[in-house]
Amino acid sequence: MLRNTTYHKMQNKKGYLTALLSLFCVILLAACFDTGPAQEEGKTDLITLEEVLRLGDESAGDTILFGSVSQIVVNGRGDIIVAESNPRLIHTFGLDGTYLGSLGGQGQGPGEYLYFSGPVIGPADSVYLWEIVTNRVLIYDPDDFSWVRSIEVEDDGEKQVSLLIGAIENGLIMAMGLPPILDSDDGSMMINDDNHYELIKVNPNGHYETDLFGTAAAGEMIYNIQGSGFNFISVPFARSPAWAVGPNDMLYYGWSDAIEITVVSADGSTREVISYEHDPVPITDAEIDEEQPENEFFREIWAAHEHHETKPAFQTFVVDEMGRVWIKLSTREDAVQAEWLILNRESHAVGSITLPVAVNLETIRDGYAYGRDRESDGAPMVVVYEIQE
């Protein structure tokens, strides 16, 4: 459904507004879409997934229940780290699902956070978290998850670093850009029509390199300025960026309007594109009607927007240890299962799986796939599958 904000008074400092907009972008990236391609002829691998663990299942007696699940990462020991966006908490679990404790906590002290993106796992299994309000990267011990140190990240005065994508050898991959609402010369607000991310490398001292991995458009959104405030409304079946760090510190990124995923190495020496044709999935009138805001003011703004006629090519993707991309395709109205297409670096379809529409895979490691189950009739859960091929 659509998410509308109430009218925002613009009486706070610009930095606080930027922090809120950056936080919104983090939440927006967790949004969901889904498709079915005309598959390439050729032999594909037989790949199946068997569920072996579920976390947050109250009916099974779990005592740790999630209000939300925004990110799942796994370290070399198989410990599962689960981030929630509401409330803002990070939990750690052992390989068998045993609860190990929390990572950091809410606040502004050492190792604490208010709004974050991540976590991500570094090459030596340290855990990295981007604390948006304070421009800090928080680093936690790989063994007991205690806070070790923080890195202050520079910005260029106008553009703001807003997202942590991955940790690589001798640095971090982050996203930087201008906020969607800007201040004009006369002090009034204006909508940024060139809202995109620059994908940058940040070194261990917090300085970023001027050479970019690439650029990616920010997620689609309807913005409206009213006097000294603004509001924003979700676009039905919006297109959005997606990214992941694969083996050998390769960055994969794409825009969900088409299956075209750029792969670039940390030193920029390798750049290639994984592409695949797909059959667009039409959006029905009933699906559009269901997305209409209830508030009449927002409904008028929403109705004036030119909406998409087809769904995005994909909702999300994840990269496995062989560099294959597992892509969740769009589904037709009322579908209960979604197809995941598996492509190799040569753009060949090497397999496919089917999972419930509510499941999004987040991490693939050591023969296991980790995802979040967003069932509408219960609390969100973490589900772990063993990959058999």
Side-chain angles (χ1 to χ4, degrees):
M1 295 297 293
L2 281 173
R3 290 178 295 182
N4 303 328
T5 65
T6 56
Y7 186 74
H8 284 265
K9 297 290 185 181
M10 297 300 295
Q11 298 175 339
N12 295 323
K13 294 181 179 179
K14 180 180 178 182
Y16 181 67
L17 170 60
T18 301
L20 289 178
L21 291 171
S22 297
L23 173 64
F24 168 74
C25 291
V26 174
I27 297 171
L28 178 64
L29 291 176
C32 184
F33 324 103
D34 309 283
T35 115
Q39 292 219 16
E40 180 177 315
E41 294 291 337
K43 183 179 179 180
T44 59
D45 296 331
L46 177 61
I47 300 174
T48 60
L49 269 59
E50 179 183 356
E51 182 176 327
V52 295
L53 181 66
R54 187 171 284 260
L55 304 174
D57 186 356
E58 186 176 17
S59 65
D62 289 357
T63 57
I64 301 297
L65 306 179
F66 305 112
S68 64
V69 176
S70 61
Q71 184 86 2
I72 304 168
V73 293
V74 179
N75 64 17
R77 293 192 306 269
D79 296 331
I80 307 167
I81 302 170
V82 181
E84 293 190 75
S85 58
N86 184 26
R88 292 178 291 277
L89 298 170
I90 301 176
H91 309 277
T92 63
F93 300 85
L95 178 64
D96 61 354
T98 302
Y99 184 68
L100 303 178
S102 60
L103 185 144
Q106 295 186 48
Q108 299 183 9
E112 296 180 333
Y113 40 77
L114 292 176
Y115 307 107
F116 60 80
S117 77
V120 301
I121 303 295
D125 263 0
S126 295
V127 184
Y128 294 78
L129 196 69
W130 171 239
E131 213 291 304
I132 296 170
V133 175
T134 60
N135 268 30
R136 301 179 301 168
V137 174
L138 310 179
I139 305 175
Y140 300 87
D141 186 89
D143 295 320
D144 62 7
F145 303 117
S146 61
W147 175 73
V148 177
R149 64 187 178 97
S150 299
I151 301 172
E152 300 286 339
V153 177
E154 67 178 349
D155 59 49
D156 71 352
E158 293 185 348
K159 298 174 185 176
Q160 304 290 323
V161 179
S162 54
L163 293 165
L164 174 60
I165 298 174
I168 59 177
E169 199 71 41
N170 299 320
L172 302 167
I173 301 176
M174 306 190 76
M176 179 175 71
L178 293 170
I181 303 296
L182 303 173
D183 291 331
S184 62
D185 293 338
D186 62 4
S188 62
M189 291 181 297
M190 63 181 183
I191 297 173
N192 175 15
D193 292 325
D194 186 24
N195 191 16
H196 67 274
Y197 293 111
E198 295 179 350
L199 307 181
I200 61 174
K201 180 180 178 180
V202 176
N203 69 26
N205 296 321
H207 303 300
Y208 67 88
E209 299 180 1
T210 55
D211 291 336
L212 304 179
F213 288 102
T215 60
E220 293 180 316
M221 184 61 53
I222 304 170
Y223 295 99
N224 180 63
I225 295 175
Q226 280 284 317
S228 60
F230 74 95
N231 47 64
F232 48 83
I233 308 171
S234 296
V235 174
F237 306 99
R239 277 53 172 165
S240 64
W243 36 57
V245 176
N248 302 316
D249 291 346
M250 302 292 288
L251 172 64
Y252 295 64
Y253 67 94
W255 175 248
S256 65
D257 191 53
I259 302 177
E260 294 182 357
I261 299 170
T262 300
V263 185
V264 58
S265 60
D267 61 4
S269 61
T270 300
R271 180 177 292 272
E272 56 196 33
V273 177
I274 299 172
S275 62
Y276 198 82
E277 293 185 4
H278 77 287
D279 294 331
V281 177
I283 302 170
T284 67
D285 292 341
E287 288 174 313
I288 287 291
D289 290 343
E290 187 179 354
E291 297 289 341
Q292 290 192 60
E294 295 180 3
N295 181 281
E296 183 177 354
F297 172 75
F298 289 117
R299 191 161 57 245
E300 291 180 1
I301 299 172
W302 181 87
H305 182 81
E306 184 176 349
H307 298 296
H308 294 292
E309 296 182 355
T310 61
K311 297 180 181 180
F314 66 90
Q315 179 264 323
T316 188
F317 67 78
V318 62
V319 180
D320 66 19
E321 291 163 304
M322 290 182 279
R324 303 178 302 186
V325 187
W326 298 46
I327 304 170
K328 183 179 183 181
L329 305 176
S330 287
T331 58
R332 295 187 178 275
E333 184 181 15
D334 299 328
V336 296
Q337 298 285 314
E339 181 184 2
W340 289 72
L341 177 68
I342 304 171
L343 301 178
N344 64 17
R345 290 270 294 273
E346 289 72 41
S347 299
H348 297 153
V350 296
S352 67
I353 60 169
T354 301
L355 291 172
V357 167
V359 173
N360 273 355
L361 298 181
E362 297 277 340
T363 297
I364 296 176
R365 184 162 189 169
D366 296 330
Y368 292 90
Y370 302 79
R372 50 189 168 99
D373 191 335
R374 301 173 298 100
E375 293 182 4
S376 59
D377 57 350
M381 290 177 279
V382 174
V383 58
V384 182
Y385 301 96
E386 184 176 7
I387 303 172
Q388 300 174 348
E389 56 179 310

